Amino acid sequence: MKNWLLHVIVNAIAILLVSWLITAVSINGVVGAIAAAFILSILNAIVRPILIVLTLPITVLTLGLFLFVINAITLLITDGLLGSTFEIDGFGTAILAAIIISIINLVLNSLIKDKG
C-alpha cells in the first residue's frame, strides 16, 4: 500500500511537470493531478495489461515502442474520465506526454530507490 501511494504521488508530480512543459496538457491544480494520477494508476493496473496482451505482436515488432501508444491511450482514457480537471489536446500530445511522464517517472523512481 505504501509503495502504491508513493507511485501515485510520483505520477502526480510527473503530470504536474508535463502540464507545465506542454501547453496542450492542462490540469486544475495539485488535487487534479492527484486525481489524475489515482485514475491513471488504476487504469495501469487493469486496462494496460489487457492492451499489452492484445497488442503483443505489434509491440514485439516495434521493439517495445508501441508501449508509448498504450500509455497515451491510458492518458486519453484518464482525460475522458476526469473531464475538465485533466485535459489533453489530441493523440500526438498524449504520446508526447506519455514519453515525458515515463522519463520523469524513471528519474524520480531512481532517486527514491537511491534514498531508500
Side-chain angles (χ1 to χ4, degrees):
M1 181 71 172
K2 183 179 175 184
N3 283 339
W4 180 76
L5 186 60
L6 187 61
H7 185 70
V8 169
I9 292 170
V10 167
N11 266 340
I13 292 169
I15 290 170
L16 282 171
L17 287 172
V18 164
S19 71
W20 181 71
L21 290 171
I22 304 173
T23 57
V25 177
S26 64
I27 191 81
N28 288 343
V30 176
V31 175
I34 292 173
F38 179 75
I39 297 293
L40 189 61
S41 68
I42 291 172
L43 289 173
N44 281 338
I46 298 171
V47 175
R48 189 170 185 260
I50 295 169
L51 289 175
I52 289 173
V53 168
L54 290 176
T55 62
L56 192 60
I58 195 165
T59 302
V60 171
L61 284 175
T62 61
L63 302 175
L65 291 177
F66 194 75
L67 292 175
F68 288 121
V69 174
I70 293 173
N71 290 343
I73 291 169
T74 58
L75 279 174
L76 288 173
I77 293 171
T78 303
D79 172 25
L81 291 173
L82 287 177
S84 65
T85 304
F86 178 62
E87 293 183 359
I88 298 177
D89 297 335
F91 188 70
T93 304
I95 289 179
L96 182 61
I99 292 169
I100 294 173
I101 287 173
S102 297
I103 292 169
I104 293 171
N105 275 334
L106 177 71
V107 170
L108 290 178
N109 284 327
S110 68
L111 288 174
I112 290 170
K113 288 183 182 178
D114 287 343
K115 300 287 180 182

